[in-house]
Amino acid sequence: AAINRPGLALTGFFQYFAHRRIQTLGNAEITYLLSLKEKERRHRLEQFFQRRVPCVVIARRHRVLSELIELGEQYSTPVLRTPLITKHFINAATIILENLMAPRATVQGTMVDILGIGVLLCGRPGVGKSETALALVKMGHSLVADDVTQFRLDSSGAVIGSSAGVTRYHMEIRGLGIIHVPSLFGIAA
């Protein structure tokens, strides 16, 4: 889930090159490449692309060098460009990648937030999980998910619970039907 700035690789040093990561070229890398003669620049970039990197992102809306486009096509490597400052792109992309790559599980159960701690209510169908959660919501606690809870492990090792998109903010209460929790108990619920 990490992003790599390939400064050393562009100089020809590949011993510790993290070639399986997204490669980001910022001001330093682009300025270095532009300082090289065209033949040398192409040679360095060819060595770089031969490592089969997943993609190359040019930060700060820099002009994409023609060699990058040609070698990207030759090695089937996407070459992308972002207007973001390099560090902002790396921070945002790292968070997105960590979220996408995090281990996940879906559990049958209703989850509520009680004083900042997620509590999962489990049991046989019809035992009263939703009704118990509704009573807790009435007492000022917050609904996280009703009936099905999705979990993911974040990079710090914390387990994060959430609802499926379709059921978010809703509960099914026997005898009442489906209710929209924020409409009845406020947005904090």
Side-chain angles (χ1 to χ4, degrees):
I3 310 294
N4 189 55
R5 291 190 73 176
L8 283 175
L10 294 174
T11 68
F13 184 77
F14 289 97
Q15 188 170 350
Y16 297 105
F17 179 47
H19 68 280
R20 292 186 176 146
R21 296 179 180 172
I22 293 172
Q23 306 296 314
T24 302
L25 305 180
N27 269 343
E29 294 83 3
I30 294 295
T31 303
Y32 172 71
L33 288 170
L34 289 172
S35 75
L36 300 172
K37 292 190 163 100
E38 190 175 335
K39 187 176 179 181
E40 180 65 20
R41 179 171 56 236
R42 180 159 188 94
H43 173 69
R44 298 275 174 88
L45 286 171
E46 187 139 17
Q47 287 181 313
F48 171 72
F49 276 94
Q50 285 172 350
R51 299 310 194 273
R52 300 287 182 187
V53 298
C55 75
V56 177
V57 178
I58 314 300
R60 293 180 165 260
R61 201 179 276 131
H62 278 287
R63 178 178 61 87
V64 180
L65 303 172
S66 60
E67 297 96 336
L68 286 169
I69 295 170
E70 291 167 21
L71 291 166
E73 288 176 1
Q74 181 181 337
Y75 289 95
S76 299
T77 303
V79 176
L80 311 166
R81 188 170 76 157
T82 178
L84 295 175
I85 293 171
T86 312
K87 78 171 188 165
H88 293 163
F89 168 75
I90 289 172
N91 290 342
T94 300
I95 290 168
I96 291 168
L97 286 171
E98 284 179 352
N99 188 23
L100 289 172
M101 299 172 89
R104 298 176 184 278
T106 301
V107 175
Q108 188 79 34
T110 298
M111 186 172 185
V112 288
D113 177 333
I114 299 176
L115 303 174
I117 297 174
V119 176
L120 182 66
L121 305 171
C122 298
R124 296 180 328 275
V127 78
K129 299 179 293 291
S130 295
E131 290 78 4
T132 302
L134 182 59
L136 289 166
V137 168
K138 285 180 184 177
M139 294 169 58
H141 303 293
S142 302
L143 174 72
V144 175
D146 184 44
D147 204 28
V148 175
T149 304
Q150 298 176 336
F151 291 100
R152 75 175 166 82
L153 190 64
D154 78 0
S155 60
S156 71
V159 178
I160 309 295
S162 63
S163 64
V166 176
T167 61
R168 185 166 288 134
Y169 309 122
H170 295 86
M171 293 181 77
E172 184 177 4
I173 304 297
R174 189 169 286 112
L176 278 176
I178 298 173
I179 64 168
H180 184 250
V181 174
S183 295
L184 296 174
F185 301 101
I187 194 66

